[in-house]
Amino acid sequence: MSSSTEHPATADAALTLIPDRGSYRVDEIVEIDILGDHDGGLLSVTHLGTAVRSIPVAPHAQRANLGALHKGGYAVEFAGARTAVDVTSREGERVRYAFVADLSPHAQAQPVTDFLRRIHATHVQFYDWAYRHDDLVSPTEEYSDPLGLKRSLTAVRAHAQSLRTAGMSSMGYAAVYAIPATAEARWGHALMVNHDGIPYRLGEGFLSLTDPSDDSWKSHFYAQLRRAKVEVGLDGFHLDAYGWPKFALRQDGSVIDLAQALAGLVDGVADAVPDAVYMFNNVNDFPTEATAKSRQNATYIEVWSPHDTYGDLATLIDRARRGAPGRPVVLAAYLSTFDTSEPEESLESARMLMAVASSIGGSTLLLGEDGHLLTGPYYAKNHELSDRHRDEFVRWYDYMVSMSDVLFDPEAVEVTEQFAGGINHDVVVVLADGSRASTKPEPGCLWLRVVRTAEGLAVHLIDLTKQRDAEWDAPKCRGGAANGVRLILTGVRSDATVLVNSPSSPQMTVISAGDSVSFEQSDALSAAEEGLVFELPKLETWSIVFIPWERWVGHAANGGARSVSIR
């Protein structure tokens, strides 16, 4: 349901709308840059399909002032162009993580900031910005990082300031227990060793690993963070680890439990650098159960095998949300398929990844720079997106932000198998072509997920009907637009309507009920119930059916609607 169109905006050419910040606080003025010429008109602001505000825009104006908005995610439309804005009450309430890897003397900050505004980034990892792992701030303005890439403190500071102006936090990469192998003599007392007394090393001996619980190491590490924040102007830190060892020894034979050691080090950052934002890398979910209790701004998990399927991603996000209720969850799930597969199959993999993560209440670290995508853990080697693919990602990020009150509600609870599948008749999905809806991510099925939020019930429909597998880092064929999909709901009012949209059709479509159906009692645990049928528009990769709570009142009874028996 869009806002008034009495004076529709018109444009001579396609426009681009970009918020001036990645996100906003409730007391901040929201402004939208308008790139391209136009004849003026009304700019509309909607929240979950309901008109919130209409802003007159003068002909040829290059910026629109929306004023301050209440907390929430909003869709913004003008002259056929769309964007979104996210308004929160505090730092880190919602996290959309991005990256920057080019911090060379010639790197330009503004193109990066402009693209990250388009995808509404909130936090940006500065990858390998540091001089050395144990000595973060370079003694010279220009330097090489540990792997030989040219770096510039001037560029680092410029990027941090540019992002800060756009409401984003710069997060400096900092490994929490790694030192150059050349520094082993200094830190010999704190090295982690195996049962033969050999130090743990990685990168062909390039780095050695220290005990994260060693007091002298922690004191040194915290001092490095404080110095980097003050001298470089970083807002916070991405605390990196390597996922191993799980247990180790020190030279004196004492045993180190890495789960507890890492959690203690991470928690100490909040006291050592109290004005910083930060998150810790739980590599392959280790040790999320321990670090989730630490004070940080997001629960961050770098995903590796055996977490190979969409179901595994769902489990990771759900478990992380339960471990730290109310805290955003971010997955680093690198799409190597962009290096090995056809562009369109890779793009569909990315769509599916974003759909799955968002439907469970998580987000992904996927994009960065001025339009690049991560394909592996070495961020300097990334995939540059085409203009068309870049615009496609922007549309998806706009959609996820506009639906953020449904997708990222901290109180949201998945109730899929309480409401759908098996003996449940609360939510039933039927496909006219004979394909099957499933409450599990099975290839060849329409994956049905039901999430209870503060605003209402969200039914996520993720199309796996044309897929050969459910692996997240694998090429995916674009699903054919599914027609003839019926949603059947019991327990809604007889005059209920549902709202449907998707990244490709982001405007809310209002669907009224058609037929009623009867579900016969099949066993002692089921009930004879009446449901209402909603004929859905064609579905693509991911669609959301949203039913506000005011439309659920006891059992539905739809007057004189034709009744069909469902056995």
Side-chain angles (χ1 to χ4, degrees), residues 89-113:
S89 57
R90 59 177 174 81
E91 155 66 38
E93 187 171 347
R94 288 175 181 150
V95 173
R96 289 176 293 277
Y97 208 12
F99 75 94
V100 58
D102 181 5
L103 295 164
S104 66
H106 303 294
Q108 298 296 310
Q110 196 59 51
V112 173
T113 300

Side-chain angles (χ1 to χ4, degrees), residues 287 360 540:
I360 308 161
E540 296 190 15

Side-chain angles (χ1 to χ4, degrees), residues 142-167:
E142 295 187 7
Y143 56 102
S144 295
D145 75 7
L147 292 180
L149 292 179
K150 297 298 183 183
R151 300 297 190 194
S152 163
L153 285 178
T154 300
V156 174
R157 294 188 182 102
H159 278 75
Q161 180 56 46
S162 180
L163 294 170
R164 187 176 302 111
T165 301

Side-chain angles (χ1 to χ4, degrees), residues 30-110:
V30 177
E31 294 191 295
I32 305 294
D33 288 336
I34 304 173
L35 307 185
D37 197 25
H38 60 88
D39 296 329
L42 289 178
L43 178 149
S44 69
V45 183
T46 58
H47 177 261
L48 298 181
T50 299
V52 172
R53 194 166 295 177
S54 293
I55 310 295
V57 178
H60 318 300
Q62 297 180 336
R63 177 165 282 202
N65 185 322
L66 278 57
L69 293 168
H70 294 297
K71 177 179 174 180
Y74 299 88
V76 178
E77 185 170 4
F78 175 69
R82 296 178 65 89
T83 186
V85 295
D86 195 18
V87 181
T88 62
S89 57
R90 59 177 174 81
E91 155 66 38
E93 187 171 347
R94 288 175 181 150
V95 173
R96 289 176 293 277
Y97 208 12
F99 75 94
V100 58
D102 181 5
L103 295 164
S104 66
H106 303 294
Q108 298 296 310
Q110 196 59 51

Side-chain angles (χ1 to χ4, degrees), residues 454-539:
E455 299 277 355
L457 201 72
V459 178
H460 297 271
L461 301 171
I462 300 174
D463 186 8
L464 295 171
T465 57
K466 302 296 188 295
Q467 306 308 329
R468 298 179 297 274
D469 59 65
E471 295 182 4
W472 59 264
D473 187 19
K476 295 288 179 285
C477 59
R478 187 71 186 268
N483 284 305
V485 178
R486 296 193 302 163
L487 174 71
I488 305 169
L489 300 175
T490 61
V492 293
R493 287 170 26 181
S494 60
D495 61 348
T497 57
V498 301
L499 305 174
V500 185
N501 70 355
S502 68
S504 57
S505 300
Q507 287 186 317
M508 288 287 195
T509 299
V510 181
I511 306 293
S512 299
D515 300 334
S516 69
V517 300
S518 61
F519 294 96
E520 296 183 357
Q521 184 169 356
S522 58
D523 55 43
L525 297 178
S526 68
E529 298 179 278
E530 290 290 319
L532 296 183
V533 179
F534 299 85
E535 301 286 346
L536 301 184
K538 70 176 184 179
L539 307 178

